[in-house]
């Protein structure tokens, strides 16, 4: 570990951090350090798509967070996976490529007062690193509309590979038909700015392997650059702040704990620390450094360097309500993963299928089929998302059920409930308190009830009749809004999309932690570049929007802005 001064210190080698390292180290005159608390991404299950089952809940790859018990979940707490290895959450997530809706970014522009966040101005940032299989040289021609939002064949592809899934399921095909019978149109592309419709998800894979951010942005490009350093198993405990002559705080270094003890990584004059530790890790580090709600910090015996009441507040997440249906496969119909994997022979066939063709169940993302629609006709835009799986289980990490079934998980894309992340103690090794405060508003409970009714309407369509679906969870005996809202709290889990805990905003917004260029208010040389900067959660999975934000900020930094 070098004692040299660095122009850029990036904390967290996850989704945003790896892209930032790639872009900023492209200037050979700039010395770039990337720091990761976890280890290398050399655990085999990271790279096999179905390996997320062995990465989540594994201390080798997961921070092992849990939420505080929540009234909206009827007193339950949830496992809260966050990646702890090179690639961060891109090494353990569901691999779904989803930009969200154009209105999300137009709303960001309004909340920040910065038109740079409008859809038409973030679209080039998505496209800059995207490498879409439909734009491959040997791919069939694509419609002009697709090319307009994904780039053209004449351009060189980016680093972030997007492919179609390498499997299909009879029950999912029929669910898609049932969704169309219920009024949800088929869609050729979830990423055009309006994701309404039903289709199989596109995923961040390459030839049947997970494609995480170290593969895309670090290897081999960054690691061959003499001006780039990577530290793994190095946890940042706090930021070192100094005072400029004008009294303004400036971030000058980071305190890092390694197997060899405590060291400091220092910035060169004019350098920047880029905090990319995620929506949980970044507010924790800020608070440990004296940047956050003054009353909280004082209560823990920490010196308040800058009172920033929004640090750790505004936590938003997508809560998935997991309706489970028992089914009876028709004659000649394909079994679900529940029974397919129940026998040793079945598991051997699954393994052989993947070994020979990189396809089949071992290539599957956690969710294969998706749909975006309205929970009720009076909604002005698609406000719920389905993740449909040919399997079922009582809870994530539990064994699959021994009967054939599918799960139709549905989440409210625009929750009004807000939670928080706060220090548990002044010890950096203690996990923070995470309180998402799910289903705490009447609006969210109503959307939950409407979503379960919508699921029932889809399942009752004729396309699924041959499977004889029977509602296993939550159960047909529950019908009223009150009952369904309460039952949603019993069967719902996070879909791993925490955002908003260091949100950007206007200068007159007292709860905004960052300005519109993601600079920390009142502290020079410090930005937060991760999903915590989102003022509002996007209408879909959050990995792709986080990459977009990193792309945009990297360009600003290189331009001296």
């Amino acid at each position: 570990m070098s004692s040299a001064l660095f122009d850029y210190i990036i904390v967290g080698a996850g989704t945003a951090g790896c892209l930032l390292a790639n872009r900023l180290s492209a200037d050979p005159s700039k010395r770039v350090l990337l720091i990761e608390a976890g280890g290398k991404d050399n655990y085999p299950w990271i790279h096999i798509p179905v390996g997320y089952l062995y990465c989540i809940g594994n201390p080798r790859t997961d921070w092992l967070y849990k939420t505080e018990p929540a009234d909206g979940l009827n007193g339950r707490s949830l496992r809260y996976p966050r990646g702890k290895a090179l690639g961060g959450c891109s090494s353990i997530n569901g691999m779904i490529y989803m930009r969200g809706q154009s209105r999300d970014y137009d709303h960001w522009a309004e909340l920040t007062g910065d038109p740079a966040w409008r859809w038409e101005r973030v679209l080039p940032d998505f496209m800059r690193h995207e490498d879409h299989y439909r734009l491959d040289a040997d791919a069939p021609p694509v419609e002009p509309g697709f090319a307009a939002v994904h780039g053209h064949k004449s351009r060189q592809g980016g680093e972030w590979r997007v492919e179609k899934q390498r499997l299909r399921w009879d029950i999912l095909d029929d669910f898609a038909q049932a969704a169309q019978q219920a009024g949800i149109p088929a869609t050729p592309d979830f990423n055009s700015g309006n994701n309404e419709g039903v289709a199989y998800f596109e995923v961040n894979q390459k030839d049947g392997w997970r494609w995480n951010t170290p593969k895309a942005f670090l290897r081999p490009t960054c690691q061959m650059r003499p001006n780039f350093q990577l530290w793994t198993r190095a946890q940042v405990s706090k930021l070192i702040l100094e005072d400029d002559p004008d009294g303004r705080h400036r971030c000058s270094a980071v305190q890092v704990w390694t197997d060899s003890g405590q060291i400091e990584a220092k910035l060169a004059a004019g350098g920047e620390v880029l905090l990319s530790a995620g929506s949980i890790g970044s507010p924790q580090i800020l608070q440990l450094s004296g940047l956050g709600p003054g009353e909280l910090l004082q209560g823990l015996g920490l010196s308040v360097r800058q009172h920033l009441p929004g640090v750790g507040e505004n936590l938003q997440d997508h809560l998935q309500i997991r309706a489970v249906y028992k089914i009876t496969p028709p004659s000649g119909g394909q079994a679900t993963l529940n029974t397919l994997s129940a026998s040793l022979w079945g598991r051997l066939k699954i393994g052989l299928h993947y070994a020979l063709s990189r396809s089949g169940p071992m290539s599957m993302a956690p969710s294969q089929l998706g749909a975006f629609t309205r929970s009720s006709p009076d909604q002005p835009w698609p406000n719920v998302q389905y993740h449909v799986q040919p399997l079922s289980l009582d809870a994530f990490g539990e064994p699959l059920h021994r009967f054939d079934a599918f799960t139709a998980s549905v989440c409210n894309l625009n929750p009004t409930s807000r939670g928080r992340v706060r220090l548990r103690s002044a010890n950096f090794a203690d996990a923070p308190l995470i309180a998402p405060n799910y289903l705490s508003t009447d609006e969210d409970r109503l959307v939950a009830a409407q979503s379960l009714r919508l699921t029932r309407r889809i399942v009752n369509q004729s396309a699924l009749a041959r499977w004889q679906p029977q509602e296993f969870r939550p159960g047909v005996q529950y019908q009223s809004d009150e009952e369904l809202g309460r039952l949603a709290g019993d069967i719902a889990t996070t879909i791993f999309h925490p955002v908003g805990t260091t949100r950007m905003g206007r200068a007159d917004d007292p709860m905004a932690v960052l300005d519109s260029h993601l600079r920390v208010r009142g502290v020079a040389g410090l930005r937060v570049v991760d999903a915590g900067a989102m003022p509002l959660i996007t209408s879909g999975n959050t990995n792709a929007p986080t990459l977009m934000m990193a792309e945009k900020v990297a360009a600003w930094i290189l331009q001296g802005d």
Side-chain angles (χ1 to χ4, degrees):
M1 293 181 175
S2 170
S3 60
L5 298 178
F6 297 95
D7 297 286
Y8 303 111
I9 298 174
I10 304 165
V11 180
T15 296
C18 288
L19 186 146
L20 288 168
N22 179 289
R23 300 299 188 252
L24 298 179
S25 64
D27 180 349
S29 71
K30 302 297 185 182
R31 293 154 294 180
V32 177
L33 172 63
L34 179 61
I35 304 174
E36 170 55 40
K40 296 180 179 179
D41 61 332
N42 54 5
Y43 183 45
W45 282 116
I46 287 176
H47 306 288
I48 299 170
V50 80
Y52 68 91
L53 291 169
Y54 306 100
C55 292
I56 291 175
N58 183 339
R60 180 170 180 170
T61 49
D62 184 358
W63 283 94
L64 304 180
Y65 294 135
K66 291 192 72 175
T67 65
E68 297 301 295
D71 290 343
L73 300 183
N74 304 320
R76 291 189 303 135
S77 63
L78 300 179
R79 182 183 292 179
Y80 216 62
R82 297 283 87 198
K84 188 181 182 182
L86 274 184
C89 289
S90 79
S91 290
I92 69 169
N93 70 2
M95 296 165 280
I96 293 171
Y97 185 73
M98 188 66 59
R99 294 173 177 168
Q101 297 172 10
S102 59
R103 65 180 181 86
D104 298 332
Y105 304 102
D106 292 344
H107 202 171
W108 287 12
E110 294 172 9
L111 291 171
T112 61
D114 190 342
W117 293 107
R118 290 190 61 82
W119 168 250
E120 66 271 14
R121 293 180 64 178
V122 303
L123 186 57
D125 298 302
F126 281 110
M127 293 165 60
R128 192 163 290 119
H129 52 259
E130 184 183 322
D131 177 25
H132 202 288
Y133 76 97
R134 292 197 229 177
L135 299 177
D136 292 348
D138 57 353
V142 296
E143 63 276 13
F146 182 90
V149 295
H150 293 273
H152 300 276
K153 289 191 176 184
S154 59
R155 73 171 181 90
Q156 184 176 358
E159 302 95 338
W160 195 232
R161 184 65 174 170
V162 181
E163 293 191 346
K164 64 180 178 180
Q165 296 189 63
R166 300 167 71 88
L167 77 169
R168 50 161 295 281
W169 294 83
D170 292 346
I171 184 62
L172 299 186
D173 292 347
D174 286 352
F175 188 97
Q177 288 298 316
Q180 292 173 60
Q181 291 174 348
I184 303 172
T187 181
D189 184 10
F190 279 133
N191 289 297
S192 65
N194 173 17
N195 51 20
E196 185 166 18
V198 59
Y200 278 87
F201 289 122
E202 293 174 334
V203 291
N204 296 121
Q205 294 181 10
K206 190 168 187 178
D207 300 326
W209 300 99
R210 175 188 289 272
W211 194 244
N212 66 353
T213 52
K215 292 177 184 175
F217 301 106
L218 296 188
R219 293 191 292 267
T221 314
C222 273
Q223 293 178 338
M224 295 179 65
R225 293 171 175 165
N227 60 323
F228 172 76
Q229 285 192 41
L230 170 66
W231 296 357
T232 56
R233 302 195 182 280
Q235 185 171 351
V236 171
S237 55
K238 71 174 183 178
L239 310 170
I240 307 300
L241 305 178
E242 297 180 352
D243 290 334
D244 284 344
D246 61 3
R248 187 185 185 198
H249 301 307
R250 175 173 293 278
C251 187
S252 61
V254 299
Q255 186 181 89
V256 188
W257 285 86
T258 72
D259 292 339
S260 303
Q262 179 187 307
I263 59 174
E264 282 189 9
K266 298 182 179 180
L267 280 178
E272 289 195 54
V273 168
L274 307 170
L275 198 51
S276 298
S279 295
I280 308 303
S282 288
Q284 180 185 20
I285 293 171
L286 289 173
Q287 291 172 9
L288 286 165
S289 307
L291 305 172
E295 184 177 353
L296 168 69
L297 304 182
Q298 289 173 341
L300 294 172
L302 292 166
S303 174
V304 181
R305 303 301 302 274
Q306 182 79 25
H307 174 57
L308 291 171
V311 173
E313 301 298 309
N314 193 47
L315 174 61
Q316 301 159 58
D317 190 13
H318 288 143
L319 184 73
Q320 61 173 343
I321 304 170
R322 301 175 62 255
V324 175
Y325 287 83
K326 287 185 175 182
I327 56 173
T328 302
S331 177
Q334 183 184 23
T336 64
L337 192 61
N338 287 10
T339 55
L340 189 63
S341 63
S343 67
L344 176 60
W345 175 238
R347 293 191 293 273
L348 287 173
K349 286 197 297 184
I350 289 171
L352 185 62
H353 193 177
Y354 186 75
L356 294 177
S357 65
R358 295 291 176 265
S359 61
M362 288 186 68
S363 74
M364 64 191 278
S367 299
Q368 298 78 51
L369 187 77
F372 291 83
T373 189
R374 294 163 170 80
S375 62
S376 66
D378 59 347
Q379 290 290 338
W381 49 68
N383 70 316
V384 294
Q385 177 183 6
Y386 278 91
H387 293 77
V388 192
Q389 304 125 1
L391 55 86
S392 66
L393 63 171
D394 287 334
F396 195 87
E398 298 294 321
L400 298 177
H401 291 141
R402 304 292 288 185
F403 49 80
D404 279 305
F406 70 89
T407 301
S409 296
V410 60
C411 69
N412 180 355
L413 290 170
N414 311 120
T416 55
S417 299
R418 296 290 183 270
R420 60 176 46 163
V421 175
R422 290 196 161 187
L423 291 181
R424 189 181 304 271
S425 76
N427 185 345
F428 77 93
D430 289 341
L433 294 166
I434 304 170
N437 210 20
Y438 296 119
L439 297 175
S440 59
T441 66
D442 292 340
E443 181 178 343
D444 286 357
R445 289 189 293 271
L446 176 59
V447 172
Q450 292 172 337
S451 298
L452 286 168
R453 287 201 185 88
L454 175 60
T455 303
R456 289 171 173 170
R457 184 159 65 86
I458 294 170
V459 173
N460 286 334
Q461 300 299 316
S462 61
L464 282 170
R466 69 189 185 116
W467 297 90
Q468 304 174 52
Q470 300 176 29
E471 186 173 319
F472 181 68
R473 294 279 189 276
V476 294
Q477 66 270 35
Y478 305 107
Q479 293 291 332
S480 70
D481 284 351
E482 182 179 357
E483 288 175 328
L484 292 175
R486 177 173 54 82
L487 264 294
D490 284 338
I491 63 176
T493 62
T494 175
I495 206 163
F496 321 137
H497 296 165
V499 309
T501 50
T502 54
R503 68 179 173 92
M504 57 178 164
R506 294 175 180 267
D508 60 357
D509 180 352
M511 296 300 288
V513 178
L514 313 175
D515 68 12
S516 67
H517 284 206
L518 278 57
R519 294 173 289 220
V520 175
R521 292 278 169 76
V523 183
L526 178 62
R527 303 191 203 219
V528 180
V529 190
D530 55 37
M534 298 182 187
L536 283 177
I537 195 166
T538 54
S539 300
N541 310 74
T542 53
N543 180 262
T546 302
L547 278 174
M548 175 277 292
M549 297 171 76
E551 190 79 79
K552 183 175 285 292
V553 173
W556 281 333
I557 293 172
L558 292 172
Q559 294 162 10
D561 194 351

